[in-house]
Amino acid sequence: MKFISSVLFFVLILSIGIENEGPLRVIEASICDVKLDDYCEEDCFSDCPKKYGKKAQGICNEASECICRWQC
């Protein structure tokens, strides 16, 4: 009887979490990449947060382009 009650309680909590989209937020998160410049210099690392917000990061790809990456 305790086992069944525990399982029902767990299912109830899980369904409430899914209804509020709590657990799904991590799954739905995605990464956005935008090319800022055709070249990659030190300015890339400071220009990306200025243009796309504090959470944006400037990275250099294999083609030496400045790419701004953030969670969208």
Side-chain angles (χ1 to χ4, degrees):
M1 187 67 175
K2 287 184 179 181
F3 177 74
I4 294 172
S5 297
S6 298
V7 170
L8 290 176
F9 181 73
F10 178 75
V11 170
L12 176 67
I13 297 298
L14 185 61
S15 65
I16 290 171
I18 290 174
E19 183 177 308
N20 293 334
E21 297 188 40
L24 296 179
R25 286 184 185 171
V26 175
I27 296 170
E28 294 175 356
S30 61
I31 302 294
C32 291
D33 286 348
V34 174
K35 183 169 85 171
L36 186 64
D37 293 313
D38 291 329
Y39 54 90
C40 195
E41 295 179 351
E42 287 184 33
D43 293 339
C44 177
F45 305 109
S46 60
D47 288 347
C48 284
K50 287 178 187 174
K51 186 166 184 176
Y52 294 103
K54 292 180 181 180
K55 293 187 177 184
Q57 295 178 335
I59 59 170
C60 297
N61 65 8
E62 297 84 24
S64 294
E65 298 170 324
C66 176
I67 305 294
C68 293
R69 177 173 285 173
W70 71 92
Q71 188 176 7
C72 52

